[in-house]
Amino acid sequence: MSEQGRSTGRIRGTGSRRRKPSRARRGKTIALWGAAALVVVGGSGLGYAYVTLNGNLKGVDIDAALGTHRPDDVDNGSQDILVLGSDSRSGANAKYGADQGSARSDTAMVVHVDKGHTSASVVSVPRDTLVDRPACTSDTTGKQVGGQKQAMFNTAYAVGGPACAVKTVEQMSGIRMDHYVEVDFTGFKKLIDELGGVKITTSEAIDDPNSHLALKPGPHTLSGEQSLGLVRTRESVGDGSDLGRIQLQQAFVKALMDQAKSVGVFSDPKTLFGLADTATKAVTTDSELASVKKLTGFANGLKGLGSSNVDMVTLPVEYDPEAPNRVLPQEKAGQQVWAALKQDKHIPASATAKSAGDKGDAGKVVR
């Protein structure tokens, strides 16, 4: 599948919702919830743990990269976080395909946590969505990369790294991203294995040679490698589209959240430190979160959230009649979604009623 769209682009991005300081990457959102493993460390009094975890963290200064031309930072207690999953094939990820010189954001989720931190809305942005990508500065060469109309969404990360991905999302949504969290293939697997696997039940067999996943119907405890296979699966589930894969990813994230609570992540210091050590090595965050103290405080505000408190949708889209492997945003419906997040409200069902994004049965295959 070509990684180029037709010919153009646009978007938006980052912050700490919402207290005035600055804030600063494919995690299938595991990165976000894996980060919550830091909660106990802050109160453990273990200097070794603090220094070790602090040294693991990698941060990107989104604020410095984007400057002041961004949506307003709304100080109402809510938070908006861009969570990306990278498909980099470099280093330990080489087994998943040839390194083509740049990574792409194969998974993108905008996570809105309400001002009371009692519920969250997650909007998945399909990687093949054709958007108006803004001009960005390359994070590898430092040179300006021109904007492009009708560019695939995941090219933003490829040409300009995290800051360009944030800038694109902010331009699309009109919402300032308070934070940024990213995880790659290897980090994702390690997080799952450290957690002891994730329990799911499949309603039908999954056999996808491309993602190297074969599961019979019934209950399973997925290893990190199997979990990665599941969230990458598309050909053997639903209609074989990326939209179906997104439904699988959303179902997996909810199972992961339930698993994290059931194994006592927040009450067992040993389990917590192991997961925190793995998580801090696996993720890249905005510079505002790139310290144990800040990340612990952030995660502490999320630990009360369970899968029943999280509403997941796909950005309203329709298939591009000129390129069936691409999707186009449904502008009016999309604005309903972004408006709900801005107003700290639940996303109305009417916003996604006519979208191709939440159709099909792929999401029912896993629970």
Side-chain angles (χ1 to χ4, degrees):
M1 180 183 299
S2 170
E3 291 303 325
Q4 297 302 318
R6 289 186 302 207
S7 63
T8 356
R10 134 190 132 169
I11 303 177
R12 147 177 140 19
T14 275
S16 172
R17 188 113 46 182
R18 286 307 206 222
R19 306 186 172 219
K20 231 26 185 142
S22 63
R23 69 267 324 144
R25 146 175 189 28
R26 173 183 187 163
K28 292 2 182 209
T29 302
I30 171 69
L32 180 61
W33 306 108
L38 296 173
V39 174
V40 164
V41 176
S44 67
L46 298 178
Y48 167 78
Y50 184 91
V51 172
T52 298
L53 299 178
N54 221 46
N56 291 342
L57 289 164
K58 304 176 291 295
V60 178
D61 195 341
I62 302 292
D63 284 346
L66 298 186
T68 59
H69 298 293
R70 302 174 65 190
D72 290 339
D73 188 357
V74 181
D75 188 11
N76 69 351
S78 63
Q79 293 186 328
D80 292 290
I81 307 106
L82 176 59
V83 179
L84 292 186
S86 159
D87 72 347
S88 170
R89 263 68 170 185
S90 62
N93 296 321
K95 62 188 282 187
Y96 301 108
D99 185 358
Q100 299 181 0
S102 65
R104 297 170 297 243
S105 54
D106 261 15
T107 299
M109 295 181 176
V110 176
V111 180
H112 174 83
V113 182
D114 77 339
K115 61 184 179 182
H117 291 199
T118 58
S119 65
S121 296
V122 178
V123 181
S124 295
V125 181
R127 67 176 193 171
D128 299 335
T129 306
L130 297 179
V131 302
D132 290 343
R133 192 186 68 222
C136 296
T137 300
S138 170
D139 62 340
T140 55
T141 67
K143 296 181 179 179
Q144 186 80 353
V145 179
Q148 182 183 350
K149 289 189 177 298
Q150 298 290 284
M152 283 175 57
F153 172 78
N154 69 349
T155 64
Y157 184 90
V159 304
C164 191
V166 167
K167 186 175 183 179
T168 300
V169 169
E170 288 188 344
Q171 181 174 294
M172 288 171 62
S173 65
I175 301 171
R176 185 183 180 108
M177 295 296 103
D178 296 309
H179 293 298
Y180 170 81
V181 181
E182 172 190 335
V183 68
D184 66 9
F185 288 167
T186 299
F188 175 77
K189 290 194 309 178
K190 289 181 178 179
L191 283 167
I192 299 299
D193 286 335
E194 188 67 42
L195 193 60
V198 174
K199 295 178 180 180
I200 66 162
T201 298
T202 53
S203 61
E204 61 184 64
I206 298 176
D207 189 2
D208 188 344
N210 291 324
S211 65
H212 309 290
L213 181 68
L215 298 174
K216 296 179 180 180
H220 306 274
T221 298
L222 301 185
S223 66
E225 189 74 43
Q226 290 175 311
S227 297
L228 179 59
L230 180 65
V231 298
R232 295 178 65 217
T233 288
R234 60 187 292 180
E235 301 298 339
S236 65
V237 177
D239 63 1
S241 71
D242 190 51
L243 299 181
R245 175 165 58 180
I246 286 173
Q247 290 182 321
L248 274 181
Q249 293 171 356
Q250 293 173 343
F252 179 82
V253 167
K254 289 198 171 188
L256 172 60
M257 293 174 65
D258 291 338
Q259 180 76 3
K261 286 182 176 293
S262 70
V263 299
V265 165
F266 298 109
S267 59
D268 181 349
K270 183 178 179 180
T271 298
L272 188 56
F273 176 77
L275 185 57
D277 187 38
T278 301
T280 49
K281 290 175 181 176
V283 302
T284 299
T285 71
D286 58 89
S287 57
E288 175 71 13
L289 287 182
S291 74
V292 170
K293 183 177 180 180
K294 292 289 181 67
L295 195 52
T296 298
F298 170 72
N300 195 42
L302 302 179
K303 69 176 183 178
L305 291 175
S307 63
S308 61
N309 310 119
V310 179
D311 182 27
M312 293 188 169
V313 304
T314 301
L315 178 71
V317 294
E318 58 192 49
Y319 286 103
D320 182 356
E322 297 182 23
N325 289 328
R326 305 288 181 261
V327 294
L328 299 169
Q330 294 181 329
E331 297 294 344
K332 289 185 178 180
Q335 288 308 311
Q336 278 188 275
V337 170
W338 302 130
L341 268 55
K342 288 178 185 178
Q343 296 167 17
D344 205 30
K345 296 180 179 180
H346 291 290
I347 297 170
S350 60
T352 58
K354 297 182 179 180
S355 170
D358 293 311
K359 300 294 188 295
D361 298 324
K364 298 177 183 178
V365 174
V366 173
R367 65 179 190 277

